[in-house]
Amino acid sequence: MNDIEQMARLEALLFVAGDPLTYEEIAAYLSLGTEEAASLVEQLKRRYQRDPMSGLVVRRIEGAASIATKPALSDTIEAFFGKVRDLKLTDAAYETLAVIAYNAPATRAEIEAVRGVNSDSIVNRLIERGLVREVGTLETPGRPALLNVTETFLMDFGLSSTKELPPVDLMMYDTITEFTEERQSAAHTAAVPKPLVIAIDGPSGAGKSTISRLLSEHLGILTLDTGAMYRALGVKALRQGISPADPEAVRAMLAETTMDIDLTDRVQKTLVDGLDYTPYIRTPEASRAASDISALPVTREYCVRLQREIGKKQALILDGRDIGTYVFPDAPVKFFITASPEIRARRRLSDLEKAGNPSTLEDVMREMAARDLQDSGRELAPAKRAEDAVLIDTSEMSVREVVDVMIDVIRQREALQPGWGRGAHGQQ
Ligand code: DC
């Protein structure tokens, strides 16, 4: 078979698979070697990139590939899913609806525990189609959203209430009964083993904070933005007229500084000496000050001690630069999130505009390049990828796609090491 035919076969295969296929699987289906399969995937990826008339992209992650729609077309896709309400539901969607109806109110993690697979995209589609809605949050760390079926669902299925649903043992899911019992005894909290620490490192503008927030909602665990800590200390130094790059002055300042991180409301509050600095830390001056002050050993010691203390108390997602390499080198799951400099600068520019601090793309790119160089070039805890971190380039991915990929990685790790999420992780 020639390359052109193989390429067509690969495209057809990825199209019907929907979920990522590993290079080994592709190689087996196409009777190729694994390296040839990887090279074919690369060619298909480039073909889509070159073709402005294509609405598709190839996603590659950890030795697997899938076909997805271009993030720039999300408006069209959302319009389609929003409008075409009478589309037939897939078996997976029916299954998810049943899990929610029988267990309502249920969290995403509980739905996943019953189905055994990540069901976020299906749940989102059911929400878009008006069959499921959020009805509140669970009062546990991370406050995951609680989901229930809607009146549209009841009407579509000819029910006046979910109490009219047939008894559970008529259903095909043996696990629902078991699951419900377990859920009652565990008071809603222990459905899924949670990873103790998830490290998310990468340069600014790569999308770490948005991704961490969504991941936190999905997994029901808290997230700590470590950059905010360096930013707040940088702002305090500026306010006191201290140079954030002056080690002695910063040492004296830190000796008189109390930092508290309030994560109770999901949205992080970074308090310095009792004052919430959150509103003041996203300016270009704060970014520069953070980059300077974070290069000082005394500041790193101060912040890392606090980060480890918080991470020891509860399951936690931390986003930063050195989480996987230094703060929690034994974290069971590590990601390094990046994107092209231009895309990162565009994202930062849009954040600045939203915060009422408009700038220009050129200025933001220049600032970012200088900060990247300083953050990754420094001797102490340089921003770099841990060897065992999964690298994700988010340039051409939507946030939802990135999060889905990360959840898959987390679940794969969990399957390899059952129970690792609950044990101590051994950092000091
Ligand atoms: O992620 P951010 O842009 O909010 O980070 C602000 C600064 O703090 C950035 O210059 C890098 C630095 N930083 C760090 O050195 N280590 C971390 N764990 C997080 C941020």
Side-chain angles (χ1 to χ4, degrees):
M1 206 177 300
N2 64 32
D3 277 4
I4 294 175
E5 280 167 354
Q6 290 287 33
M7 175 68 78
R9 278 171 197 280
L10 171 68
E11 188 176 33
L13 194 60
L14 293 179
F15 176 79
V16 293
D19 289 335
L21 291 179
T22 63
Y23 294 151
E24 286 75 20
E25 286 169 325
I26 295 171
Y29 291 126
L30 300 181
S31 309
L32 294 172
T34 314
E35 279 185 15
E36 283 173 296
S39 137
L40 210 56
V41 167
E42 179 60 31
Q43 286 175 49
L44 183 61
K45 182 179 164 92
R46 279 200 242 117
R47 202 183 97 203
Y48 285 148
Q49 278 172 343
R50 275 197 307 270
D51 181 1
M53 283 185 285
S54 170
L56 302 176
V57 286
V58 169
R59 302 250 167 274
R60 287 175 311 170
I61 180 78
E62 291 269 283
S66 64
I67 289 184
T69 51
K70 278 191 177 150
L73 307 178
S74 61
D75 288 357
T76 312
I77 307 294
E78 273 161 27
F80 172 80
F81 280 112
K83 282 192 192 124
V84 188
R85 290 178 145 265
D86 52 353
L87 269 187
K88 197 177 166 306
L89 291 175
T90 60
D91 287 351
Y94 277 122
E95 203 177 282
T96 309
L97 263 178
V99 174
I100 298 171
Y102 276 93
N103 295 283
T107 62
R108 284 178 160 80
E110 287 169 339
I111 297 164
E112 184 173 327
V114 177
R115 293 197 64 231
V117 286
N118 167 22
S119 309
D120 272 6
S121 337
I122 296 175
V123 168
N124 290 344
R125 250 172 264 153
L126 291 172
I127 292 176
E128 280 160 14
R129 292 182 64 171
L131 296 171
V132 167
R133 69 188 172 95
E134 290 190 3
V135 289
T137 52
L138 193 61
E139 292 306 316
T140 56
R143 306 183 68 183
L146 288 166
L147 301 159
N148 201 346
V149 289
T150 60
E151 295 193 341
T152 309
F153 163 85
L154 295 173
M155 265 161 28
D156 284 0
F157 285 77
L159 303 166
S160 57
S161 119
T162 48
K163 295 200 181 76
E164 287 182 13
L165 284 165
V168 120
D169 55 6
L170 293 182
M171 304 287 296
M172 53 195 261
Y173 315 104
D174 298 345
T175 50
I176 287 186
T177 323
E178 289 165 27
F179 173 66
T180 309
E181 282 165 6
E182 188 190 316
R183 201 180 97 168
Q184 279 160 354
S185 66
H188 285 212
T189 53
V192 183
K194 305 286 192 305
L196 208 55
V197 166
I198 298 178
I200 304 182
D201 290 306
S204 58
K208 292 184 307 276
S209 26
T210 315
I211 289 163
S212 306
R213 183 172 47 75
L214 289 175
L215 203 55
S216 141
E217 280 169 18
H218 176 88
L219 298 171
I221 62 181
L222 295 172
T223 181
L224 176 65
D225 170 3
T226 60
M229 300 168 71
Y230 295 102
R231 285 173 178 271
L233 293 178
V235 172
K236 174 169 177 180
L238 293 181
R239 286 187 175 184
Q240 295 208 335
I242 291 171
S243 160
D246 177 342
E248 285 321 311
V250 170
R251 179 184 298 283
M253 180 189 95
L254 290 178
E256 303 289 314
T257 299
T258 316
M259 178 175 272
D260 292 295
I261 307 295
D262 181 351
L263 298 174
T264 45
D265 225 6
R266 252 205 213 168
V267 182
Q268 174 170 335
K269 289 197 184 93
T270 309
L271 301 139
V272 178
D273 307 323
L275 178 71
D276 182 9
Y277 269 54
T278 315
Y280 318 112
I281 59 176
R282 301 283 159 205
T283 63
E285 296 73 39
S287 299
R288 272 193 296 275
S291 188
D292 286 343
I293 207 163
S294 69
L296 302 179
V298 66
T299 319
R300 301 212 72 84
E301 205 180 297
Y302 186 95
C303 290
V304 170
R305 187 178 42 76
L306 200 55
Q307 289 155 16
R308 286 180 178 159
E309 258 171 38
I310 301 171
K312 262 196 266 181
K313 285 196 211 129
Q314 68 233 301
L316 196 64
I317 300 165
L318 294 96
D319 86 67
R321 301 291 191 288
D322 60 339
I323 309 301
T325 50
Y326 183 68
V327 184
F328 286 106
D330 299 336
V333 193
K334 300 177 187 175
F335 296 98
F336 194 85
I337 309 285
T338 184
S340 70
E342 184 175 338
I343 300 246
R344 293 198 286 119
R346 285 190 191 283
R347 290 177 186 161
R348 181 58 88 205
L349 186 65
S350 137
D351 287 349
L352 287 170
E353 275 163 6
K354 276 187 212 137
N357 299 309
S359 182
T360 64
L361 186 64
E362 293 67 38
D363 282 353
V364 175
M365 280 187 83
R366 205 177 27 252
E367 283 263 346
M368 261 190 166
R371 280 214 296 140
D372 282 355
L373 195 67
Q374 174 154 320
D375 294 343
S376 55
R378 67 191 177 205
E379 254 174 55
L380 187 74
K384 68 167 203 239
R385 176 187 171 194
E387 274 174 16
D388 51 349
V390 175
L391 175 69
I392 303 181
D393 184 335
T394 67
S395 305
E396 293 174 35
M397 295 173 81
S398 71
V399 175
R400 194 66 254 170
E401 283 173 311
V402 178
V403 172
D404 280 349
V405 165
M406 292 168 89
I407 291 168
D408 285 345
V409 171
I410 293 167
R411 295 303 173 222
Q412 278 167 15
R413 294 281 160 90
E414 202 172 33
L416 291 177
Q417 267 175 287
W420 53 256
R422 288 170 189 275
H425 45 79
Q427 281 88 14
Q428 295 307 304

